Amino acid sequence: METIVLGIGETLVRDDRRWSSWADWLGVPPHTLSALVGAAVAQGHDAADALRTLRPGMDVEAAYRARSAAGRGEHLDESDLYQDVRPALGELRAAGVRVVVAGNGSARAGELLRALDLPADLVVTSAEWGVRKPDPEFFARVAEVAEAPPAATLHVGDHPADDLFPAAAAGLRTAHLRRGPYGHWWADHPDVVETAEFRIDALTELVALVRPPGAGAEAAGAGAVGSDAEGTGGEGPGEEEAGGEETDAAGAAREGARRGALRSVR
């Protein structure tokens, strides 16, 4: 691998502050909005649909501008980064890998991320490029800035529809990160398992994919499933908490609904 490209939200940055600030702006308890985000994720919808559930017909972009004008816009600091970000990116750079951070976000988010001085060769957001994931043009731009052939470029992200599927369609190598609501809920979905060349639980696992190169990287990817062996049985998080057993028909119907939800956003 010559270049590794990473998304932003729930790949490098925790979304806690984002949703908490929206809850405060809308005047609802944070746990209410979090629950609605979870419902949107489980149905394969855009997480921002949670905002529209609270305020039907809401123009999210207009509301974002209103928040900024009121002095309650985006904020990002070191505490918003996942703890494995700096160690992983630093080791990748030390191994001679080009590190690119490219994801959906505002121009302000790009400024804030660059101010953190991450160990990355490039940090850029969709607003700065004028195109958002999962648009194929976004991944065409990714291929340009990677400065490496697609076969030597690994795209890492948590979101199947925004990261995994379009990156694979663009010919990039792919790693699905089990992190955040989308990353956890859809981790064992057959489409994700089939599409992702690697499945990881932490960014520090990426180092094993590039050091040593060649066959060792493939072996590392095969062993990078991590918590898959913890008895989830291929179902989403929390499904074992319902208690009792379900019929085969009920289980098949539920899994069919989950598959349909994910494919609807591919």
Side-chain angles (χ1 to χ4, degrees):
M1 232 81 72
E2 298 177 24
T3 299
I4 291 186
V5 183
L6 304 104
I8 298 173
E10 292 301 344
T11 297
L12 302 186
V13 176
R14 299 162 56 101
D15 277 349
D16 309 49
R17 189 194 301 270
R18 173 192 177 195
W19 294 116
S20 179
S21 61
W22 271 115
D24 183 58
W25 178 255
L26 296 175
V28 300
H31 78 272
T32 298
L33 181 53
S34 293
L36 292 172
V37 169
V41 169
Q43 295 174 60
H45 295 167
D46 186 341
D49 285 347
L51 302 174
R52 302 182 186 98
T53 299
L54 290 167
R55 299 291 185 271
M58 175 182 181
D59 184 330
V60 176
E61 291 299 323
Y64 170 83
R65 291 192 295 271
R67 281 181 51 197
S68 298
R72 296 166 67 179
E74 287 182 84
H75 179 74
L76 187 66
D77 61 32
E78 191 73 20
S79 67
D80 295 299
L81 296 176
Y82 278 98
Q83 291 185 349
D84 60 357
V85 170
R86 285 195 182 278
L89 271 57
E91 288 191 61
L92 290 171
R93 290 280 298 278
V97 176
R98 177 172 171 79
V99 176
V100 174
V101 175
N104 285 345
S106 65
R108 175 61 175 161
E111 295 172 358
L112 292 168
L113 277 170
R114 287 188 289 273
L116 294 178
D117 194 24
L118 295 171
D121 296 280
L122 175 68
V123 176
V124 65
T125 66
S126 58
E128 293 167 328
W129 272 351
V131 61
R132 290 177 59 84
K133 296 185 294 187
D135 192 307
E137 179 58 29
F138 182 95
F139 290 90
R141 296 293 298 271
V142 165
E144 291 176 7
V145 301
E147 299 183 4
T153 301
L154 180 69
H155 188 276
V156 183
D158 65 294
H159 198 304
D162 283 357
D163 294 309
L164 179 61
F165 301 146
L172 304 176
R173 301 179 73 176
T174 56
H176 180 256
L177 175 62
R178 188 196 296 264
R179 175 175 285 175
Y182 284 102
H184 280 287
W185 183 256
W186 296 108
D188 299 316
H189 189 282
D191 290 353
V192 172
V193 175
E194 178 184 359
T195 304
E197 183 173 354
F198 304 103
R199 295 192 294 147
I200 61 175
D201 294 313
L203 297 181
T204 47
E205 295 176 36
L206 293 171
V207 180
L209 306 185
V210 299
R211 185 196 294 162
E218 298 295 336
V225 179
S227 60
D228 284 355
E230 294 179 3
T232 59
E235 301 295 341
E239 292 185 0
E240 294 181 350
E241 298 175 4
E245 298 182 358
E246 64 181 355
T247 65
D248 291 342
R254 184 183 58 188
E255 182 60 21
R258 291 188 63 214
R259 292 188 182 202
L262 181 57
R263 289 187 176 127
S264 70
V265 294
R266 286 191 70 161

